[in-house]
Each structure stands twice: as structure tokens, then as C-alpha cells.
Amino acid sequence: MAMLRAVKTPFSLDFLFNLPARSVLVADSDKFTHSLAEPWARLVHLVQQKGGYSHILAAANSFGKNILPRAAALLDVSPITDVIDISGSSQFVRPIYAGNALCTVRYTGTSPCMLTIRSTSFPVPAISADTKSNEARISQVDLSTFGEDSVGKSRYVQHTSQDTERPDLGSARIVVTGGRGLKSAENFKMIEKLAEKLGAAVGATRAAVDAGFVPNDLQVGQTGKIVAPELYMAFGVSGAIQHIAGMRDSRVIVAVNKDSDAPIFQVADYGLVGDLFEVIPELLEKLPEKK
């Protein structure tokens, strides 16, 4: 289920993440079955015109990045992307220069203030036991004025995904990533076997994706997915700036590379200078099977 959040009043960080939604708007139409930017952006525009919200937020994932800029253009406002901290109703912090610096931005435009939020930068709020008092009012969006011209020129063709029981890359507790050092798609299967033993998600660098080792939905980095797992293991990853930008917030980073000068060691908590073709088989042999 895709979701955007809109609020009508100035908010603090506590308001945004600790208070439940007061109302839920449901847009029931086949036009929204697939996350095409044109109909979804038109929907945001329609809801904003009727609701007059002060802020519209979406996660900084493929869904949010696809829809929010187009919706912002329709509303004639400038969106603020990849927010990692909220200082007030109009002041936000976002990374720049591939995460090497942080920029504080103050929004001075007209309503709504539109944001994409990097969800890995915020703690998961505790769920209140008093669910009755937190029930939200659910109402249908009037789509009578939502014509066929809102659909746009793009169309849904097909959806492909890997048939796997591994955790989702964006929310996994453990991520095992392989880089160009694995040399081939066949060798990359070692990463998949190790991830299976650890109950981890599989990630890849842009170089590994470009080489055809794995599909691009496994790419971690500035132009891929932003992850912040409890444990991030990198094998054959040199540590390009754009890759580090996507995983530097991981709690513990373990790197294995035969090049002792690889930049990945500068951000790693634990580093091993060694041949991954020797290290991974040894790990596979010594790690117990996942229960």
C-alpha cells in the first residue's frame, strides 16, 4: 500500500512521529493500482486543493521520489528532499555532497511545504496500547472531477520481482553487500548464500549492478537505496562516495577487501584486509544454519 501523509498545522518532530494520524483519506480507483507518477501527482494536487494542508510528506524511496516532485510542480512549490532531521515547521536538515556535509534548509515558500523523509534517519515510535482512542476517521476522496486526462502518457507494462524469502533491503536488520571485486554473477551467489545463513538482505554496489551481477533494485547508494541496518557487511566494495552515502548510517560496518587503502575502511568499524574468495567460504563453513 502506498501512502503519503499530510498535516494542517505546524509540527514538531514529536508530533510527526509519535502522534497517530487523525484521518485517513482513501482514493479508490483502478488508476492508482500501479504507482505511476501522473495519476498519483494529480491525486495529491486534488487532495491539497480540497484540504488546504500545510505539509505533505512522503518517504524518500522510489515511490516518493517518483511522485512528489511532479506533485510539487503542479502545486507550484519547491520540494525539500532527503530530510534527515526536523528542527521546526519550516526548518529541516538534509545531506549534500553525497552525505559529506549537512545543510540546514528553511522553507519560505507558500503552502504546502512538501518533503521526502529519509526514514532510516528517524527512530520507530512505540505503539500505544490504547488503540481505541487512536482510531482515525476514514473518508473517501471525491474523484468525480478526476478525468481521464489525469492519467498521462505513461502506462503500466509489467512488474518483475525476485522470488525470495530474504528481508526487504530497505528495512533489514542485516545487509550483506557485494561489489565489483566478486568479478561475476556466478561468484555473487556467495553473497546470497551468506545472506541466507544470516537472515540478511542482499545489497550491491553500482559497479556490480552495471556489470550485470544483480538487478538494480539491489543497489545501495546515493542513486540506489539508502539503508541503515544494525549490521552492514561489505565484500569487495571499494567505498565510492556515492555508495558510502547510502550506508554510512549503519550501526556497525564490516568491510572485507584485499586493498588495504580502499576508502571503505575509513567508515568501517571492523575491517579485514583479505581475499573475499577465501573469507566468504570460511564464514559459510563456520556460521550455523539459520533456524
Side-chain angles (χ1 to χ4, degrees):
M1 181 180 68
M3 183 179 69
L4 297 164
R5 183 163 186 176
V7 295
K8 284 192 174 182
T9 56
F11 58 88
S12 65
L13 186 63
D14 289 338
F15 170 85
L16 180 61
F17 292 101
N18 293 333
L19 289 184
R22 295 178 181 176
S23 64
V24 176
L25 302 179
V26 178
D28 190 4
S29 172
D30 291 340
K31 297 182 180 72
F32 310 121
T33 302
H34 311 294
S35 300
L36 297 179
E38 290 96 330
W40 272 90
R42 289 288 181 184
L43 175 63
V44 174
H45 181 259
L46 174 66
V47 170
Q48 173 60 23
Q49 284 185 319
K50 293 183 178 180
Y53 298 99
S54 61
H55 296 75
I56 298 178
L57 299 88
N61 52 22
S62 57
F63 173 79
K65 291 177 180 178
N66 185 35
I67 293 165
L68 209 75
R70 182 180 288 269
L74 292 174
L75 293 166
D76 197 25
V77 298
S78 298
I80 300 174
T81 59
D82 279 323
V83 171
I84 63 170
D85 193 16
I86 297 175
S87 305
S89 62
S90 60
Q91 188 163 302
F92 315 97
V93 179
R94 63 182 302 272
I96 57 175
Y97 302 123
N100 289 304
L102 299 178
C103 176
T104 299
V105 180
R106 180 179 293 277
Y107 182 73
T108 58
T110 58
S111 293
C113 175
M114 303 185 74
L115 313 169
T116 60
I117 303 294
R118 190 175 289 188
S119 56
T120 55
S121 298
F122 296 94
V124 178
I127 299 175
S128 173
D130 188 13
T131 55
K132 266 291 182 187
S133 62
N134 293 338
E135 287 183 355
R137 176 173 54 85
I138 300 175
S139 56
Q140 293 283 336
V141 177
D142 182 7
L143 299 175
S144 59
T145 60
F146 200 85
E148 288 298 325
D149 59 335
S150 301
V151 175
K153 296 181 178 179
S154 64
R155 63 187 179 89
Y156 172 79
V157 178
Q158 66 175 352
H159 175 75
T160 58
S161 62
Q162 290 184 312
D163 186 15
T164 176
E165 295 181 359
R166 285 194 296 265
D168 177 68
L169 178 58
S171 58
R173 291 178 57 252
I174 304 173
V175 174
V176 181
T177 293
R180 184 165 43 191
L182 283 149
K183 299 181 180 179
S184 70
E186 184 64 29
N187 291 336
F188 206 93
K189 292 179 181 178
M190 292 192 300
I191 295 291
E192 296 173 351
K193 290 178 181 177
L194 181 59
E196 187 176 342
K197 275 207 166 188
L198 294 171
V202 172
T205 64
R206 179 173 178 174
V209 170
D210 289 346
F213 298 171
V214 289
N216 60 8
D217 60 332
L218 297 184
Q219 181 179 329
V220 174
Q222 187 178 19
T223 55
K225 292 185 178 179
I226 309 296
V227 300
E230 294 181 15
L231 173 62
Y232 188 88
M233 303 180 73
F235 295 89
V237 175
S238 62
I241 291 175
Q242 74 88 22
H243 180 75
I244 290 176
M247 44 68 74
R248 69 188 313 151
D249 292 331
S250 303
R251 183 172 297 180
V252 177
I253 300 172
V254 177
V256 176
N257 199 301
K258 64 181 180 181
D259 180 7
S260 60
D261 295 323
I264 189 69
F265 289 125
Q266 296 177 14
V267 297
D269 298 286
Y270 300 94
L272 174 63
V273 179
D275 188 344
L276 65 87
F277 294 105
E278 296 176 359
V279 174
I280 295 179
E282 189 171 351
L283 283 172
L284 289 172
E285 181 182 345
K286 293 185 177 181
L287 284 172
E289 293 292 339
K290 186 188 75 168
K291 294 182 181 179

